[in-house]
Amino acid sequence: MFKGSITALITPFTADGAVDEKAFQDFVQWQIDQGTDGLVPVGTTGESPTLTHDEHKRVVELCIEVAKGKVPVIAGSGSNSTHETIDLTRSAEKAGADAALLVMPYYNKPSQEGMYQHFKAVHDATDIPLVIYNIPGRSVVDMSVETMARLAELPRIVGVKDATADLARPLKTRLAIKSDFCQLSGEDATITAFLAQGGVGCISVTSNVAPALCAQLHDAWQAGDYATVWELRDRLMPLHDAMFCETSPAPVKYAASLLGKCQNVLRLPMVPVSPAAQEKVKAAMVSAGVLDA
């Protein structure tokens, strides 16, 4: 259903901290022009925890206005409240999103049964395809392959964004779940290994600033052009590393500002990257060829 290079979009802000609607829509169009295969507005990279519900819904609408019919939009709509997740997912569905990305309920630390019931409740209350976002590093909890296989029996649980960094996981998941279950990596640095283990794409931070290169890597993989895959893998690795030299999305927001795509403005408790991190980001962008020296 979804494959290739899918960008976890930043949310540009104006100097006074408001959502910069024009910059965001221009950024969405640039992503499409650069060959990006899909878009995820208001995920963690889009600073969703600091957006109001109205802003959150508006950013999804802005993305769909530009992207609909060109590339799929997988709207971030997860929360640690099932009621809130249903509300945001219904809004994304009404706006015309192609799917919704639902993060694991963070902070609450639900059991495997609690996870199952949470996602089942959202599934039963909506009519949109749902992608589970399993990211133990931010949510603390980790959905087991067994629980995911159980959820995959529901008709509109269609895939996972796997940010576990466990490269055995996609293979185990592929063996446990029907072959059309869509496995998307949430870890840029391990994408080629993830694809080799049964994945079909990546919801990427790096593609915010290197969309063409990330898309070319996936195109080469799908074409069986592994020499190009290895070349792009190696070329992009320092950039992947730099995007997480401090807590994301601060490094990628700074990188995008260097490209003139947004201002280097975040909402507290996120702050801009340190001078040392700025130098690392700049160097990696120059090395990858996405920023002039």
Side-chain angles (χ1 to χ4, degrees), residues 98-130:
D98 297 282
L101 180 68
L102 309 182
V103 70
M104 294 293 298
Y106 44 87
Y107 191 80
N108 297 336
K109 297 181 70 174
S111 66
Q112 294 296 316
E113 182 62 23
M115 296 176 207
Y116 176 83
Q117 294 298 337
H118 169 80
F119 287 100
K120 183 178 185 298
V122 182
H123 173 276
D124 292 350
T126 61
D127 291 308
I128 188 172
L130 305 176

Side-chain angles (χ1 to χ4, degrees), residues 77-78 84-94 100-102 122 126 128-130:
S77 62
E84 183 176 309
T85 301
I86 290 171
D87 175 62
L88 292 172
T89 304
R90 283 175 170 168
S91 176
E93 180 181 350
K94 183 178 179 181
L101 180 68
L102 309 182
V122 182
T126 61
I128 188 172
L130 305 176

Side-chain angles (χ1 to χ4, degrees), residues 51-290:
L51 298 181
T52 68
H53 287 184
D54 287 345
E55 288 174 328
H56 187 120
K57 294 172 183 179
R58 177 60 177 157
V59 170
V60 172
E61 292 168 354
L62 290 167
C63 184
I64 292 169
E65 283 178 11
V66 177
K68 192 64 175 175
K70 302 171 186 174
V71 299
V73 175
I74 308 171
S77 62
S79 167
N80 64 341
S81 160
T82 304
H83 175 79
E84 183 176 309
T85 301
I86 290 171
D87 175 62
L88 292 172
T89 304
R90 283 175 170 168
S91 176
E93 180 181 350
K94 183 178 179 181
D98 297 282
L101 180 68
L102 309 182
V103 70
M104 294 293 298
Y106 44 87
Y107 191 80
N108 297 336
K109 297 181 70 174
S111 66
Q112 294 296 316
E113 182 62 23
M115 296 176 207
Y116 176 83
Q117 294 298 337
H118 169 80
F119 287 100
K120 183 178 185 298
V122 182
H123 173 276
D124 292 350
T126 61
D127 291 308
I128 188 172
L130 305 176
V131 178
I132 297 166
Y133 182 11
N134 193 24
I135 180 165
R138 285 190 186 259
S139 66
V140 182
V141 290
D142 181 4
M143 181 178 286
S144 69
V145 173
E146 293 75 19
T147 300
M148 193 162 295
R150 187 181 171 200
L151 281 164
E153 294 174 0
L154 301 174
R156 280 173 285 96
I157 303 286
V158 300
V160 60
K161 176 184 177 183
D162 185 327
T164 64
D166 175 2
L167 290 173
R169 188 73 62 97
L171 178 56
K172 291 177 180 178
T173 301
R174 184 171 63 83
L175 294 174
I177 302 176
K178 57 187 182 294
S179 60
D180 60 347
F181 190 71
C182 179
Q183 294 198 72
L184 303 168
S185 174
E187 298 283 346
D188 280 295
T190 59
I191 183 53
T192 52
F194 188 91
L195 293 171
Q197 291 284 77
V200 296
C202 181
I203 296 180
S204 170
V205 172
T206 301
S207 61
N208 276 280
V209 294
L213 294 178
C214 291
Q216 288 163 20
L217 185 151
H218 287 273
D219 290 345
W221 178 270
Q222 292 164 19
D225 179 4
Y226 300 119
T228 298
V229 172
W230 311 148
E231 187 273 325
L232 289 170
R233 175 200 61 190
D234 294 354
R235 181 176 171 185
L236 284 166
M237 186 60 218
L239 191 56
H240 297 326
D241 187 44
M243 292 302 96
F244 293 91
C245 65
E246 291 184 4
T247 304
S248 183
V252 72
K253 203 75 174 284
Y254 174 67
S257 75
L258 293 179
L259 297 177
K261 302 301 180 183
C262 68
Q263 297 193 56
N264 187 30
V265 177
L266 299 97
R267 284 186 176 174
L268 289 171
M270 300 302 299
V271 295
V273 291
S274 66
Q278 289 181 16
E279 291 306 312
K280 184 169 186 176
V281 168
K282 285 180 185 176
M285 292 176 73
V286 170
S287 174
V290 299

